[in-house]
Amino acid sequence: MADSRADEAIRRQEKMWADRSIFEQHWREIAERILPRGDHFRVNRQPGDKHTEKVFDATGNLALDRFAAAMESMLTPRTQRWHKLSIQDEKLNNDPAVRAYLDEVTQRLFNARYAPNANFASQANEVYISLGAFGTGGMFIDESVGRGLRYRSIHLSELFVQENHQGVIDTVHRKFNFTARQAVQAFGIDRVSERIKTAYEKQPEQTFEFLHCVKPNEEIKPSRRDYRGMEFASYYISVADRDIVQEGGYRAMPYAVGRYVTGPKEIYGRSPAMTVLPDIKMVNEMSKTV
């Protein structure tokens, strides 16, 4: 049965997609020449398909890899503790017991972040590549029950964002596909529709479209200890069925979205690749002619 909240979220998603159509044209032009494996904007690519039809010179591709490596070495080096916890009260910060406690919590954060199952380092590198190519990169911080944190970079073709009145991203939509088997794993056999159940039994690898919406919880109940008392509401929606298959919440925004630089009145970022795109196109044409 269709849910009115699902209908509202899908309409909002369609508006967010339409609003960034010009950006998507720009991103596709960049992807074709600088990040061929990332060319998934309004294009149905088959797994293993060749993506390098318009690449005749690899200078831009190699520069993007170096950009990501430089960003990682400066911001999140794998061999260092690149941040630490502190509190605003300087007197307490200087207390040996408080400092010992903060150091212990900091170390636990790093242990969780760099645990083998967390997958932080490789996914952070993907975000830096997205920042260098497209100017916007997103990472989803999830929890694998019983195993700890799980980080996943989200391709910009799936990621849609909106800002609040202070210019902070407070609403994120992710539009993605699950196979019937994945949907049952994620949401449970009792939560999916009959068509997905049928596919799960007969064609488990058949794909279905879903939408994950995270937005400020407008009906927050601070006294509640469950997701209804959390700052952000979360909905997983089956697009074809227009129904919510999972409802929950987060205390903090689970999508970390970075933007390299932003132009006036623009939500999505602009990248170094956009700055040098004319030169990259010229070098490609020269190499093609040769």
Side-chain angles (χ1 to χ4, degrees), residues 27 36 45 57 147 205 243 278:
W27 294 335
R45 292 279 193 175
D57 183 273
R147 303 183 67 183
E205 299 308 310
D243 191 27

Side-chain angles (χ1 to χ4, degrees), residues 244-259:
I244 294 175
V245 294
Q246 188 180 91
E247 183 176 357
Y250 297 95
R251 294 182 179 88
M253 171 59 72
Y255 288 94
V257 181
R259 296 170 288 181

Side-chain angles (χ1 to χ4, degrees), residues 189-255:
I189 192 69
D190 296 331
R191 295 291 300 175
V192 298
S193 66
E194 289 299 324
R195 78 176 76 191
I196 297 178
K197 290 179 184 178
T198 301
Y200 176 67
E201 295 170 357
K202 297 181 179 179
Q203 294 178 298
E205 299 308 310
Q206 181 180 344
T207 59
F208 297 87
E209 197 171 56
F210 291 88
L211 182 65
H212 186 203
C213 307
V214 180
K215 64 177 185 177
N217 187 357
E218 298 173 353
E219 300 177 355
I220 187 170
K221 299 178 181 178
S223 60
R224 295 288 294 262
R225 303 287 291 179
D226 60 2
Y227 66 88
R228 290 181 176 84
M230 296 180 181
E231 186 173 350
F232 290 92
S234 167
Y235 305 103
Y236 280 93
I237 297 168
S238 172
V239 175
D241 301 304
R242 307 183 82 86
D243 191 27
I244 294 175
V245 294
Q246 188 180 91
E247 183 176 357
Y250 297 95
R251 294 182 179 88
M253 171 59 72
Y255 288 94

Side-chain angles (χ1 to χ4, degrees), residues 131 135-137 163 167-169 257-262 266-269:
L131 284 172
T136 303
E163 296 177 337
V168 177
I169 292 175
V257 181
R259 296 170 288 181
Y260 191 76
V261 294
T262 55
E266 293 179 349
I267 297 177
Y268 294 91

